[in-house]
Amino acid sequence: MGILIPLAPFIMVLGIVWVSAHYKHLNKTAGTITDDQATELTQMSKIADILDQRVAVLERILDDEVPDWREK
């Protein structure tokens, strides 16, 4: 029991340093993405643009063939 009293401040300081280092590391890595994720995001963006174009074409076709299709 006598050894715990001198060790307590040392353990507390060590704990504070560890917690602050942990959260600094989390803050550094929080807003970053990997190269693989960036590539995948670019591919998904291209696919979304293609799908958006397809939907626009389909809506134009429906507007020409069935003028009141949006109200149904």
Side-chain angles (χ1 to χ4, degrees):
M1 181 80 171
I3 197 163
L4 291 179
I5 294 173
L7 282 180
F10 177 73
I11 292 172
M12 289 175 64
V13 169
L14 207 69
I16 291 170
V17 169
W18 180 82
V19 168
S20 65
H22 172 72
Y23 282 106
K24 281 182 185 178
H25 174 73
L26 284 181
N27 285 337
K28 285 182 183 178
T29 60
T32 59
I33 60 173
T34 64
D35 290 337
D36 291 339
Q37 289 172 332
T39 303
E40 188 175 352
L41 184 61
T42 303
Q43 289 174 346
M44 288 190 305
S45 177
K46 288 178 183 177
I47 291 170
D49 289 339
I50 292 168
L51 290 174
D52 187 43
Q53 291 171 357
R54 288 181 179 180
V55 168
V57 168
L58 289 172
E59 286 180 346
R60 261 185 299 186
I61 292 170
L62 281 171
D63 285 338
D64 291 342
E65 294 186 7
V66 185
D68 58 343
W69 70 272
R70 294 179 193 260
E71 287 108 29
K72 291 185 178 181

